[in-house]
């Protein structure tokens, strides 16, 4: 049942790895602008799509 519902431990680990990478990419885009007091409106948000395998 877990495999059918994609809720197995393997799927959970993949989800955690994917969200970790997602947040890393977000930080790399936003933090430099935030801490250098620059406009964050120029950040291209297209890269923020969460991709699950």
């Amino acid at each position: 049942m877990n495999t059918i519902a994609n809720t197995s431990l393997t799927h959970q680990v993949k989800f955690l790895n994917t969200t970790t990478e997602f947040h890393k990419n977000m930080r790399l885009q936003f933090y430099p602008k935030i801490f250098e007091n620059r406009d964050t409106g120029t950040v291209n948000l297209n890269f923020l799509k969460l991709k699950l395998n």
Side-chain angles (χ1 to χ4, degrees):
M1 278 302 226
N2 285 338
T3 302
I4 293 171
N6 291 334
T7 57
S8 67
L9 179 59
T10 302
H11 287 100
Q12 177 67 12
V13 170
K14 284 181 182 180
F15 174 77
L16 292 174
N17 290 337
T18 301
T19 53
T20 299
E21 186 67 23
F22 173 84
H23 286 108
K24 175 186 165 192
N25 290 332
M26 190 182 321
R27 284 192 314 272
L28 290 174
Q29 290 291 317
F30 281 101
Y31 280 15
K33 292 184 183 228
I34 291 170
F35 292 114
E36 294 170 7
N37 201 27
R38 294 187 291 158
D39 181 21
T40 58
T42 60
V43 173
N44 180 1
L45 299 177
N46 291 327
F47 79 95
L48 290 177
K49 295 177 184 172
L50 186 59
K51 298 173 187 169
L52 297 176
N53 297 332

